[in-house]
Amino acid sequence: GDLDKVVNLLLSLSGRLARVEAALGSLGPHAPAEDKLALREKQRLLVAQLEDAKELKEHVERREEAVGAMVARYLPAEHLQDYQHFVKMKSALIAEQRELEEKIKLGQEQLRCLRESL
């Protein structure tokens, strides 16, 4: 459960940071200084939060290793391999699910915009 939460947090913060950086990049040279300042402050906060989330992920990974070592004492080799595969794939699948959800959301938004323009 913690792994799910941390991966989702990392993905969310990364996405938000990308959107802020895109917004900063799209600001023209004549954009109000307050807008630039607000976006830079948001960017600074998101970078700090992302670093904290990475530390949290490292902590979860260390705890996962400790649990894995305990599990290894009690499971036969084939079950241990299944457990290790499950743990590795879980993060990858969470990231993939999040990416697909974002693509669906973007597609729905584009479809809505197309309908409104008709």
Side-chain angles (χ1 to χ4, degrees):
D2 290 344
L3 182 61
D4 291 351
K5 291 173 187 171
V6 170
V7 169
N8 279 324
L9 177 63
L10 284 167
L11 292 171
S12 175
L13 289 171
S14 296
R16 289 173 58 199
L17 181 59
R19 285 190 295 277
V20 167
E21 288 175 346
L24 267 172
S26 69
L27 286 179
H30 303 294
E34 325 167 320
D35 292 350
K36 289 180 184 179
L37 187 62
L39 285 172
R40 284 193 182 113
E41 179 62 17
K42 239 184 213 184
Q43 180 186 33
R44 186 188 66 74
L45 289 172
L46 286 168
V47 167
Q49 289 175 341
L50 191 57
E51 288 304 314
D52 290 344
K54 286 178 183 177
E55 288 178 21
L56 189 58
K57 185 175 186 288
E58 290 172 7
H59 173 73
V60 169
E61 287 172 348
R62 284 192 302 273
R63 198 173 72 199
E64 177 186 315
E65 287 176 21
V67 169
M70 285 184 358
V71 168
R73 286 188 249 156
Y74 298 103
L75 288 180
E78 68 182 44
H79 292 275
L80 181 59
Q81 286 177 343
D82 290 343
Y83 169 78
Q84 290 169 337
H85 178 72
F86 169 77
V87 171
K88 285 179 187 176
M89 291 304 298
K90 189 167 181 147
S91 291
L93 291 172
I94 291 169
E96 188 175 336
Q97 177 185 5
R98 182 69 177 247
E99 184 179 332
L100 290 171
E101 288 171 352
E102 289 292 324
K103 286 180 180 180
I104 290 169
K105 190 174 166 182
L106 177 63
Q108 289 172 337
E109 187 175 316
Q110 289 173 337
L111 184 60
R112 184 184 52 78
C113 289
L114 283 171
R115 285 185 179 149
E116 287 176 3
S117 69
L118 295 175

